[in-house]
């Protein structure tokens, strides 16, 4: 993400009244609509390291929603736990209530959901103090686990990639390597097998080999799967897998997957472009989960309409790849320009016109 996208509308830094821990909420942009983004609870050597994280992550949420064409802005929360701190259940509750109060104090310009270190049950607890939370458990009327929707969105992105490669959205007969078979990756692998794709599967957990056998897929070690001779690699584990060391060794035609922050540095997008490998920015391919949760819980859409929005990722990716190809730029550049254009157009409109434009994009209208 370029530095100019890292400018924020509001940053709230609080010491929790009950817990005493630093809570940082960054509202990056409400230009397209009220901001949304998860709550990360993580240990940091210094709370300022958490500040750095929240600034980058909240800008990423703006890009995610803008690229998806949703009328939402980007925000994020980081609870910066001291490294030595072990949270007991009582203290954890105090932290979450403090976070909820801090969100409520922002008056509805930002809503939060789960991220690393928090889950649906935590959102339910925070819901005692604020309505501005999403991904509560389904038993409590929330949208629950986001992984199936993230998987659906990634599959939609893969269909668009297939169209770009061979002119057909069918994945039948295509060779794909899925690296990481967790909540999202295992679902993607199962769906791809059902579509008739030829699969290479991989995980650092050897226990996942059983899934490969069940799906009739070839099992490989993670490094071998990443560099396998396939049509598309699907990174579905941790970030940072595409580096100046791994990219020269790749033997695929395209890469699209749900793993966050796949590029070790932004320059790696140029390396991929130079090698003629299509790369779908992760914030576009992985947006299905948050699109679904926000649509159902914050925008009040029914399941069918929320699902349609998730599947809209196919059109977004297809248009991005076509635009990038036409102009001879990487999809990373094309996506960032799309984000800037949508934010710029909405900012110029202002007032009632902005309301209409946001409604056309889909989702809640901006509150300004
Ligand atoms: N769950 C969601 O809705 C969602 C939404 C957006 C983005 N993502 C991103 O997608 C990725 C996967 O999410 P998830 O929910 O499936 O996580 P998960 O923790 O359920 O699964 C991750 C899997 O990757 C494996 N793994 C870890 N390191 C690996 C390595 N070096 N090589 C191969 N496998 C490795 C783990 O053993 C595990 O099976 C993450 O990067 C996550 O941030 C998830």
């Amino acid at each position: 993400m370029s530095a100019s996208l890292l400018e924020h509308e509001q940053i709230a830094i609080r010491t929790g009244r009950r817990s005493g821990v630093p809570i940082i909420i960054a509202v990056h942009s409400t230009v397209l609509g009220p901001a949304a983004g998860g709550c990360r609870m993580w240990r940091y050597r210094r709370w300022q390291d958490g500040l750095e994280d929240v600034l980058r992550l909240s800008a990423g949420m703006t890009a995610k929603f803008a690229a998806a064409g949703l009328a939402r802005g980007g925000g994020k929360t980081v609870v910066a736990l001291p490294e030595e701190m072990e949270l007991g259940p009582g203290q954890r509750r105090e932290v979450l209530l403090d976070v909820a109060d801090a969100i409520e104090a922002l008056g509805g310009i930002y809503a939060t959901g789960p991220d690393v270190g928090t889950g649906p049950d935590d959102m339910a607890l925070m819901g005692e103090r604020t309505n501005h939370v999403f991904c509560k458990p389904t038993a409590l009327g929330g949208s629950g686990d986001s992984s199936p929707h993230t998987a659906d969105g990634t599959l939609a992105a893969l269909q668009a990639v297939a169209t770009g490669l061979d002119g057909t959205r069918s994945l039948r007969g295509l060779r794909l390597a899925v690296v990481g078979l967790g909540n999202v990756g295992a679902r993607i692998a199962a769906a791809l097998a059902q579509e008739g794709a030829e699969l290479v599967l991989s995980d650092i957990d050897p226990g996942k080999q059983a899934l490969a056998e069940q799906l009739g897929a070839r099992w490989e070690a993670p490094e071998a799967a990443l560099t396998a001779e396939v049509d598309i690699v699907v990174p579905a584990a941790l970030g940072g897998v595409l580096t100046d060391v791994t990219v020269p060794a790749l033997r695929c035609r395209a890469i699209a997957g749900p793993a966050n922050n796949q590029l070790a540095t932004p320059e790696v997008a140029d390396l991929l472009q130079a090698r003629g490998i299509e790369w779908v920015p992760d914030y576009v391919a992985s947006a299905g989960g948050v699109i679904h949760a926000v649509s159902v819980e914050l925008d009040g859409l029914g399941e069918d309409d929320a699902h349609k929005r998730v599947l809209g990722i196919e059109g977004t990716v297809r248009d991005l790849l076509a635009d990038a190809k036409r102009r001879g730029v990487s999809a990373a550049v094309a996506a960032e320009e799309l984000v800037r254009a949508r934010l710029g157009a909405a900012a110029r409109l202002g007032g009632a016109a902005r309301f209409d434009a946001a409604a056309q994009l889909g989702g809640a209208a901006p509150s300004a």
Side-chain angles (χ1 to χ4, degrees):
M1 187 142 321
S2 63
S4 59
L5 264 184
L6 285 174
E7 288 164 5
H8 292 72
E9 281 179 19
Q10 204 176 133
I11 300 160
I13 304 176
R14 282 189 166 201
T15 299
R17 184 169 62 80
R18 306 170 184 80
S19 62
V21 304
I23 294 161
I24 318 166
I25 302 175
V27 176
H28 175 256
S29 170
T30 58
V31 166
L32 290 175
C39 173
R40 180 164 294 195
M41 196 184 297
W42 197 241
R43 290 190 174 73
Y44 293 90
R45 197 170 57 78
R46 307 172 320 138
W47 70 266
Q48 289 89 339
D49 297 336
L51 175 61
E52 209 168 288
D53 243 7
V54 83
L55 294 180
R56 184 177 51 82
L57 293 165
S58 56
M61 290 310 297
T62 299
K64 201 168 219 178
F65 287 124
L70 253 64
R72 284 272 157 202
K76 201 90 182 182
T77 300
V78 160
V79 178
L81 299 176
E83 267 184 329
E84 65 289 353
M85 191 167 190
E86 285 299 332
L87 281 185
Q91 266 175 313
R92 187 178 173 84
R93 181 182 162 82
E94 288 182 346
V95 171
L96 291 165
L97 293 178
D98 283 338
V99 174
D101 285 347
I103 290 170
E104 184 64 17
L106 292 174
I109 61 161
Y110 164 72
T112 202
D115 194 76
V116 178
T118 62
D121 289 341
D122 298 325
M123 298 306 120
L125 175 59
M126 286 163 64
E128 290 176 15
R129 312 277 310 177
T130 180
N131 286 329
H132 308 298
V133 291
F134 55 92
C135 272
K136 286 184 276 188
T138 41
L140 298 174
S143 61
D145 180 12
S146 59
S147 322
H149 311 288
T150 304
D152 286 348
T154 307
L155 286 161
L158 290 171
Q159 283 166 327
V161 171
T163 305
L165 291 179
D166 297 327
T168 163
R169 64 195 286 276
S170 168
L171 298 163
R172 173 167 294 278
L174 275 189
R175 297 163 306 161
L176 292 100
V178 183
V179 187
L181 300 171
N183 289 318
V184 182
R187 284 188 166 87
I188 293 171
L192 288 172
Q194 201 163 10
E195 292 279 322
E198 208 180 293
L199 292 179
V200 174
L201 299 183
S202 179
D203 198 289
I204 42 163
D205 175 358
K208 301 287 167 80
Q209 191 168 350
L211 179 66
E213 282 160 19
Q214 190 191 322
L215 298 177
R218 195 170 99 214
W219 175 259
E220 293 280 4
E223 311 74 48
L226 186 68
T227 56
E229 193 173 350
V230 291
D231 295 298
I232 311 175
V233 167
V234 184
L238 306 181
V241 286
L242 301 174
T243 69
D244 52 8
V245 174
T246 58
V247 168
L250 295 174
R251 290 186 295 159
C252 57
R253 295 199 283 160
I255 302 171
N260 285 320
N261 305 319
Q262 291 165 23
L263 304 183
T265 62
E267 294 73 33
V268 174
D270 301 330
L271 289 181
L272 289 163
Q273 158 92 344
R275 285 218 48 207
I277 298 171
E278 294 273 26
W279 176 69
V280 177
D282 39 52
Y283 64 85
V284 179
S286 71
V290 75
I291 290 175
H292 175 267
V294 161
S295 299
V296 170
E297 289 180 76
L298 301 182
D299 295 346
L301 258 59
E303 272 304 323
D304 287 352
D305 288 335
H307 188 59
K308 268 189 212 144
R309 276 191 180 174
V310 172
L311 299 188
I313 290 176
E314 180 177 354
T316 301
V317 173
R318 201 183 45 230
D319 293 351
L320 264 182
L321 295 180
D323 181 42
K325 194 171 180 182
R326 197 169 45 243
R327 298 193 293 128
V329 299
S330 68
V333 167
E336 193 159 322
E337 285 176 7
L338 173 70
V339 167
R340 274 179 210 292
R342 285 195 169 145
L343 290 173
R348 278 192 301 277
L349 283 171
R354 211 172 105 192
F355 188 96
D356 289 343
Q360 272 177 22
L361 275 175
S367 48

